[in-house]
Amino acid sequence: MRVLLAGGAGYIGAHTAVALLDAGHDAVLLDDLSGTHSAAAERVARITDRTAPLVVGDITDDAVVEKAFDEHGPFDAIIHFAAFKAVGESTQKPLQYYANNLGTTFALLRVGIARGIRSFVFSSTGTVYADPVDLPFTEEATTSVDLSNPYSKSKRMNEVVLADVASVNPELNVTVLRYFNPVGAHPSGLIGEDPAGIPNNLMPYVSRVAIGSLERVGVFGDDYDTPDGTGLRDYIHVVDLAEGHVAALEKSAPGYAVYNLGTGVPVSVLGLVAAFEKAVGHELPKQIMPRRPGDVAATYCDPAKAARELGWQTRLTIDDACRDYWHWQQSNPAGYAGV
């Protein structure tokens, strides 16, 4: 199968490119490089010993998508990772988030359907689930467009668009993958998460504290109704997540389908910090902070549908994720910019 990965030089995209190439498929990366570096594509090729061509351009522009098809197609499938993804920033820049996160989908669908793709896999999020009492979230749990931030809203809007497109294109396989909390890095240390500025997510923040570029880990709330008082989250190793995309492509059938990709095993904030301290070999400075507005006590999924229908399940633990992320951080203290 020949696959176009929109946003393919990003954190999850690059790991999925490795998984696809290792599984014998062909991968072409399309990225505007606004949140990553061209080095990611070069390192995918180093890991797999196979070429992963990179096309650079604005994915909201049909002409850019057409260029990828003209130069590297035809493609059997598109996997769509391309999105602005900082939740906090999305509340400050809603127009940019809606324009990009919906516009990329529109361009990929317009060109992809016209060029005869048969499969479209969309990178969605577990934050589309609207009622925290539904735990663990199944694919039938309550969703909404009336969510707390434009990032999550844009993902749910995309799901609605894709369902409607699938309904009038019966030959098209549309698969929506709702991620929970991707963590970790490729065990080679060559590709990993490279957030700009101060990280928004917990593991890269903890890693920056461990490497010495940030002072301490802020723990937002220790009075939740959870075993240790800190929030529970479903952390999935990015390598497992990448393999979920391969399974979705290989098992997809015409129509519209939704799958949770997570472990189903929640880990607390302090639990993740302790696992990272184990990987580092010493304790890290921590500070308990007030709860953040909008945070919930727990969010995790039931991944049974993906196991049943895709034959996919996670293999790697939170300890594996911390070990691999720390290896990436030590090998790349300045991220891809240090190459």
Side-chain angles (χ1 to χ4, degrees), residues 25-339:
H25 302 290
D26 297 317
V28 174
L29 315 185
L30 174 61
D31 207 296
D32 67 2
L33 300 182
S34 62
T36 186
H37 194 286
S38 61
E42 299 162 8
R43 292 185 178 196
V44 166
R46 284 173 60 186
I47 292 167
T48 62
D49 199 26
R50 295 186 60 195
T51 301
L54 172 64
V55 178
V56 179
D58 180 358
I59 303 171
T60 66
D61 185 346
D62 289 27
V64 170
V65 183
E66 288 169 346
K67 177 184 177 183
F69 273 82
D70 290 341
E71 294 183 353
H72 300 285
F75 295 104
D76 303 294
I78 292 173
I79 304 180
H80 178 12
F81 303 102
F84 296 159
K85 63 179 185 177
V87 170
E89 183 183 62
S90 77
T91 65
Q92 303 300 316
K93 300 179 178 179
L95 183 57
Q96 290 94 320
Y97 269 69
Y98 290 126
N100 182 77
N101 292 3
L102 292 165
T104 50
T105 302
F106 297 156
L108 291 166
L109 286 171
R110 280 191 296 259
V111 176
I113 291 172
R115 296 294 188 100
I117 63 160
R118 288 293 175 263
S119 294
F120 192 99
V121 176
F122 177 66
S123 165
S124 191
T125 171
T127 63
V128 301
Y129 293 117
D131 191 341
V133 304
D134 286 343
L135 293 173
F137 293 123
T138 69
E139 290 80 359
E140 290 72 39
T142 305
T143 60
S144 174
V145 174
D146 185 19
L147 299 164
S148 63
N149 61 83
Y151 165 73
S152 299
K153 290 177 183 178
S154 73
K155 290 293 188 178
R156 180 62 189 136
M157 289 175 182
N158 270 307
E159 292 185 0
V160 173
V161 169
L162 289 166
D164 287 344
V165 169
S167 71
V168 296
N169 290 276
E171 75 288 350
L172 187 64
N173 310 330
V174 176
T175 305
V176 169
L177 301 178
R178 292 175 179 158
Y179 310 161
F180 279 74
N181 294 72
V183 290
H186 193 270
S188 66
L190 289 172
I191 56 174
E193 191 173 11
D194 187 19
I198 297 176
N200 292 300
N201 296 326
L202 180 60
M203 186 169 287
Y205 198 102
V206 174
S207 186
R208 295 276 180 91
V209 173
I211 205 73
S213 60
L214 290 173
E215 186 176 350
R216 63 175 59 85
V217 179
V219 177
F220 295 99
D222 66 346
D223 57 351
Y224 288 106
D225 184 18
T226 62
D228 65 11
T230 64
L232 295 173
R233 298 294 181 264
D234 192 338
Y235 297 104
I236 176 173
H237 198 299
V238 68
V239 170
D240 281 333
L241 184 62
E243 291 174 355
H245 292 76
V246 179
L249 279 181
E250 293 179 343
K251 299 286 186 179
S252 63
Y256 176 83
V258 178
Y259 298 97
N260 290 329
L261 294 187
T263 66
V265 180
V267 174
S268 74
V269 169
L270 286 178
L272 183 145
V273 174
F276 211 95
E277 290 173 332
K278 178 181 175 182
V280 174
H282 59 80
E283 289 191 13
L284 300 174
K286 299 176 283 292
Q287 181 178 3
I288 303 300
M289 310 284 285
R291 294 187 188 188
R292 293 180 300 191
D295 277 354
V296 296
T299 178
Y300 55 98
C301 76
D302 178 351
K305 183 181 178 184
R308 183 173 64 251
E309 297 186 9
L310 302 180
W312 170 89
Q313 56 187 1
T314 58
R315 300 181 293 105
L316 301 167
T317 67
I318 194 68
D319 287 336
D320 295 325
C322 292
R323 178 200 64 217
D324 293 340
Y325 200 102
W326 182 231
H327 179 38
W328 152 257
Q329 182 72 82
Q330 288 179 299
S331 302
N332 304 270
Y336 293 119
V339 301

